[in-house]
Amino acid sequence: MDEQQAAARLAELRREIAHHDYRYYVLDDPEIADVEYDRLFRELLDLEERFPHLITEDSPSRRVGGEPLAGFAEVVHPFPMYSLDNVFDEAELTAFDRKVRRYLQREEAVAYVAEPKLDGLAVELIYEKGLLVQGSTRGNGEVGEDITAQLRTVQSIPLRLRESNAAPLPDQLVVRGEVYFPLAGFAELNRQRQEQGAPLFANPRNAAAGSLRQLDPRITARRPLAFFAYGVGDVSVLAVARQSDLLARLKQLGFRVNPFCRRCERVEQVVAHHGFLLDRRHSLEYEIDGMVVKVDDLKLQARLGTTTRAPRWAVAWKFPATQVSTRIEAVEFQVGRTGAVTPVALLEPVNVDGVMVRRATLHNRDEIKRKDLRIGDRVLIRRAGDVIPEVIKPVVEVRTGEEKPIRFPEDCPACGHVLVRPENEAVTRCVNAHCPAQRLQNLIYFAGKTGLDIEGLGKKNMEQLVAAGLVKDLPDIFRLKVSDLARLDGWGEKSAENAVRAIRAAARPTLSRFIQALGIRYVGEVNATLLARRFRTLEKLTAASLEDLFEIEGIGEQAAASLVDYFADEAVQEMLDRLRAAGVEIVPENVTEKGLADRVFLFTGTLESMSRNEAKQRVKALGAQVVSGLSRRVTDLVAGAKAGSKLTRGRELGIRILTEEEFRALLDGVKEGT
Ligand code: IVH
């Protein structure tokens, strides 16, 4: 066989194998026997071995996984990957439907598509001229990780889109869907791991995540991951008018689409489908944790638009959390960052939805009393999503009389200081400013995800550093040396160097980030942003009076009082001085290049909280354009009070309409410099 013949035969084999993959993985309806398929595949491999330069990116042989990667590169999603708002019952679902119709100013029913909410990992696949060129994780919705090599190994992800006479392929297609770990494969994987003495995966979702996050794609290739497509980044490139058509088109293009997606003419059918899925939930070959409800008509979707975090045209209706029973073996009292003492039940370990649960929060003293919980009680517990498990109630019928009352301590279990319970508060607190437990929690918070997010200084490591006496307060973090860390248990030269590098990078936070990281009571992300905007520098903020703080819209009384108290503390002032001395430098807040670039704003009506001029300046500063005439170019129409014909016309054109409140939320939500 000469090269030309080989090339032709290879092309034929690739096409045939892709076709049979489609029959098998997508339609679940194979046309040929496994041995025949294997023969085709072996022929392909043989030919590719003889003519390696004829191997193409979309060859099915490429699914076995290439060379290990050094790390995951970041990718910016061409369109943000939003998350979903949740509803939990029928009443909330009908409220969602009402809101949709009110927004659209529409009396008649809106049709929806109800889809299983797959409990896996959201991924994005980019196809250029039909070829898979990039695959990534959701990440924070704006930026994810490049896992192209790993996703290529997933059999039900097409390496090339199927062409049909029906419609041309778009130049670029961004497909979104869920990668999951089928239950049978999951059980088998854990069985093997148990045999090998490897740690088990807590649930299929973690197993899917763990498999995709393998730097070595050959390991991913050995895991039986599967994929369902449920959306695209930009629907305008496909000639479809409805979500239900989109799903059908995705199937034509070669994707698996979940067979339990239903178009529902009315919201009542949505409710019925929820019942249907709930009944089948445990007989499917994959986990679902609810149902996603989407407005079917894509024009209506466009009119509804999105808020900063989620589309207005879709909602997730979560299934109720599973409840199981176990026993309270003991109760521990934990001291939090702000001194709050939380009772935690230590449970006889129990499996809830695939996760081993050993502890559950009892919230506070009143909750224990209200539920009449005792040590030794058999109790019902529930785990809802990622939320900490909760004890619902004791099973009083099976009490033996041996159960012991839960005694709330009088003194702080960490420092022995007497505990206080302020009037009108449910929380009991340790008010000792030097309490070691509070200090530890504060350090963990400061370096943690919502704080400066210092990689390598998570909870466990911080506990270790504190126990070793290397870190007593915040400034100590910035004085850590590689040699200090490298000699600790479980650390090496390399991890120590990485941690010190991460600390150095974290030493230049923006003001809002820094304020948030301090963990001042009542001052979370939103307030930190407001404060940073108003004061610009830490010096000005620390000098602010109660009156100054009251003036800021959005800062409540409690937050203002808490801030003044915090900065009035000499120990705090001294600590801030030492942070500066240790090299911490606050950098100006600036907007990422992206900001609101590529958005075009038009204002109509009167804004109450700022002048039109200010509003224009604010969006321009974030890179947006402002225009005064309505056209299709406009991406965002901000409608204040007494908005008139522009608003009506904007709605007709399907332009995203923002109320003043939403506009403010948008300004607050646009990412600040990192
Ligand atoms: S649509 C803008 N459809 O749920 C629409 N999401 O809470 C966002 N998910 O990150 C996604 N099944 O991982 C959609 N049929 C489905 C889904 C689904 C599961 C997940 C997805 C997303 C999360 C949102």
Side-chain angles (χ1 to χ4, degrees):
M1 188 180 281
D2 69 18
E3 184 161 334
Q4 210 177 357
Q5 288 166 320
R9 180 61 187 149
L10 274 171
E12 202 171 85
L13 284 167
R14 279 199 299 270
R15 218 172 22 245
E16 267 188 59
I17 292 172
H19 171 76
H20 292 305
D21 281 345
Y22 179 68
R23 301 287 317 189
Y24 185 89
Y25 291 108
V26 179
L27 303 184
D28 197 13
D29 181 19
E31 285 173 341
I32 58 172
D34 288 0
V35 284
E36 283 177 74
Y37 178 88
D38 291 345
R39 202 157 33 80
L40 291 175
F41 213 100
R42 219 163 323 116
E43 187 183 347
L44 174 95
L45 292 179
D46 286 348
L47 268 182
E48 285 187 345
E49 203 175 42
R50 281 167 56 200
F51 301 95
H53 55 285
L54 295 180
I55 300 176
T56 57
E57 281 296 285
D58 61 339
S59 170
S61 65
R62 299 296 84 195
R63 289 198 190 275
V64 294
E67 289 298 300
L69 312 176
F72 294 107
E74 288 195 340
V75 295
V76 177
H77 298 300
F79 311 92
M81 290 179 79
Y82 289 101
S83 94
L84 291 170
D85 287 333
N86 293 324
V87 298
F88 292 93
D89 55 33
E90 186 176 336
E92 288 179 9
L93 193 261
T94 40
F96 162 76
D97 172 60
R98 268 199 305 281
K99 220 169 75 191
V100 165
R101 284 183 294 121
R102 181 159 17 95
Y103 196 96
L104 298 170
Q105 299 194 299
R106 191 179 146 113
E107 299 280 327
E108 69 266 43
V110 169
Y112 295 97
V113 173
E115 307 175 0
K117 187 170 187 299
L118 307 154
D119 196 10
L121 249 85
V123 302
E124 174 178 273
L125 305 168
I126 303 184
Y127 290 86
E128 270 165 15
K129 302 208 185 310
L131 196 67
L132 175 64
V133 294
Q134 187 182 82
S136 57
T137 61
R138 176 173 181 275
N140 64 6
E142 302 272 347
V143 180
E145 282 178 327
D146 187 334
I147 51 166
T148 315
Q150 287 71 14
L151 287 173
R152 275 177 176 288
T153 71
V154 178
Q155 296 284 3
S156 43
I157 292 180
L159 300 176
R160 177 178 284 284
L161 300 177
R162 280 172 67 83
E163 300 203 43
S164 63
N165 305 331
L169 288 184
D171 279 345
Q172 190 195 57
L173 184 66
V174 178
V175 175
R176 268 88 184 263
E178 201 87 353
V179 169
Y180 66 90
F181 212 112
L183 292 178
F186 172 71
E188 174 58 21
L189 175 70
N190 263 354
R191 197 191 58 72
Q192 285 171 8
R193 289 176 76 88
Q194 183 141 37
E195 234 165 54
Q196 296 157 357
L200 303 189
F201 285 111
N203 54 45
R205 192 194 140 86
N206 287 2
S211 305
L212 283 180
R213 283 204 45 102
Q214 287 290 339
L215 284 168
D216 185 347
R218 284 169 299 199
I219 298 179
T220 317
R222 279 186 238 128
R223 307 272 167 85
L225 296 170
F227 177 73
F228 276 124
Y230 54 63
V232 296
D234 175 14
V235 283
S236 70
V237 302
L238 297 175
V240 290
R242 310 189 305 189
Q243 169 70 14
S244 45
D245 299 339
L246 172 64
L247 293 176
R249 182 86 182 98
L250 283 168
K251 205 164 161 181
Q252 276 178 354
L253 287 166
F255 294 96
R256 279 176 80 227
V257 170
N258 189 280
F260 297 107
C261 297
R262 286 275 176 287
R263 179 178 146 91
C264 303
E265 296 288 340
R266 319 179 49 85
V267 71
E268 291 78 9
Q269 293 170 328
V270 175
V271 175
H273 195 53
H274 184 264
F276 172 90
L277 289 177
L278 199 52
D279 283 347
R280 264 169 203 60
R281 174 181 193 188
H282 293 297
S283 53
L284 299 173
E285 57 173 15
Y286 41 83
E287 289 203 328
I288 61 177
D289 58 346
M291 183 174 89
V292 181
V293 184
K294 303 174 181 175
V295 169
D296 193 29
D297 185 324
L298 298 176
K299 276 221 189 66
L300 296 185
Q301 283 191 7
R303 276 175 57 194
L304 286 156
T306 61
T307 65
T308 42
R309 66 171 287 270
R312 286 194 200 87
W313 45 264
V315 81
W317 184 353
K318 297 295 268 292
F319 288 150
T322 317
Q323 300 184 4
V324 299
S325 92
T326 183
R327 227 173 52 87
I328 298 186
E329 292 181 329
V331 174
E332 193 180 87
F333 294 86
Q334 278 182 357
V335 185
R337 176 169 54 86
T338 58
V341 177
T342 308
V344 176
L346 306 182
L347 307 167
E348 205 168 86
V350 61
N351 190 314
V352 191
D353 282 342
V355 171
M356 279 313 253
V357 172
R358 295 186 165 78
R359 308 156 70 84
T361 176
L362 300 177
H363 299 294
N364 56 51
R365 197 189 294 239
D366 292 349
E367 281 293 296
I368 295 178
K369 211 161 146 198
R370 193 174 64 76
K371 292 175 181 161
D372 181 26
L373 295 169
R374 303 177 196 176
I375 293 170
D377 261 342
R378 180 145 287 278
V379 289
L380 281 186
I381 66 161
R382 144 176 78 201
R383 189 180 69 96
D386 292 331
V387 188
I388 313 160
E390 184 189 24
V391 173
I392 309 163
K393 61 171 191 191
V395 188
V396 287
E397 294 78 6
V398 298
R399 274 197 179 144
T400 60
E402 298 281 294
E403 296 78 12
K404 304 242 153 37
I406 297 170
R407 293 177 52 112
F408 215 95
E410 303 281 318
D411 303 328
C412 174
C415 70
H417 196 284
V418 65
L419 297 178
V420 298
R421 178 168 174 184
E423 241 172 280
N424 311 325
E425 276 195 41
V427 179
T428 305
R429 263 175 222 287
C430 169
V431 290
N432 173 13
H434 304 286
C435 170
Q438 288 181 52
R439 196 173 282 196
L440 172 64
Q441 295 305 325
N442 209 42
L443 283 161
I444 291 171
Y445 184 85
F446 184 78
K449 284 263 179 288
T450 40
L452 297 191
D453 195 10
I454 307 178
E455 212 173 309
L457 291 196
K459 184 165 183 281
K460 284 251 156 57
N461 284 348
M462 189 61 88
E463 282 169 356
Q464 187 188 20
L465 293 180
V466 171
L470 283 174
V471 173
K472 292 191 189 63
D473 61 4
L474 305 184
D476 290 343
I477 295 174
F478 298 93
R479 298 198 177 282
L480 285 170
K481 292 199 280 297
V482 174
S483 53
D484 295 334
L485 296 173
R487 62 181 165 77
L488 295 175
D489 245 17
W491 290 73
E493 196 70 23
K494 184 111 187 116
S495 52
E497 275 169 17
N498 287 343
V500 168
R501 195 168 321 117
I503 292 168
R504 225 176 284 137
R508 295 172 53 77
T510 60
L511 182 56
S512 60
R513 193 89 197 224
F514 182 76
I515 299 170
Q516 198 189 334
L518 290 176
I520 305 164
R521 245 177 111 189
Y522 304 114
V523 183
E525 184 177 0
V526 174
N527 280 350
T529 308
L530 291 173
L531 292 166
R533 281 225 174 102
R534 168 74 175 74
F535 293 106
R536 300 278 159 202
T537 68
L538 184 60
E539 290 65 36
K540 290 211 180 94
L541 170 63
T542 53
S545 68
L546 210 50
E547 290 71 38
D548 295 336
L549 292 165
F550 276 153
E551 269 178 26
I552 306 173
E553 208 186 308
I555 299 282
E557 267 171 53
Q558 285 175 313
S562 166
L563 280 157
V564 169
D565 274 357
Y566 182 83
F567 290 117
D569 188 340
E570 262 177 47
V572 167
Q573 291 296 344
E574 190 247 356
M575 185 224 18
L576 293 175
D577 285 340
R578 282 192 302 121
L579 274 174
R580 278 187 212 101
V584 174
E585 186 193 348
I586 291 167
V587 299
E589 314 268 325
N590 51 12
V591 172
T592 55
E593 305 94 352
K594 213 164 167 231
L596 294 177
D598 66 36
R599 288 173 65 165
V600 180
F601 280 79
L602 174 66
F603 293 88
T604 180
T606 326
L607 297 179
E608 321 235 286
S609 63
M610 66 180 90
S611 69
R612 167 107 42 116
N613 213 1
E614 182 189 352
K616 286 183 180 174
Q617 293 313 320
R618 295 278 293 271
V619 292
K620 279 190 187 163
L622 295 167
Q625 273 188 67
V626 178
V627 294
S628 53
L630 188 60
S631 73
R632 286 193 184 275
R633 230 162 55 78
V634 174
T635 59
D636 298 77
L637 177 61
V638 181
K642 301 207 189 77
S645 64
K646 275 186 188 159
L647 175 58
T648 324
R649 276 247 300 134
R651 284 219 173 93
E652 286 165 7
L653 287 175
I655 288 167
R656 172 173 33 222
I657 316 264
L658 300 177
T659 62
E660 177 162 359
E661 207 181 324
E662 288 163 342
F663 174 63
R664 291 197 63 97
L666 174 71
L667 291 180
D668 289 341
V670 172
K671 274 242 195 63
E672 260 150 301
T674 43

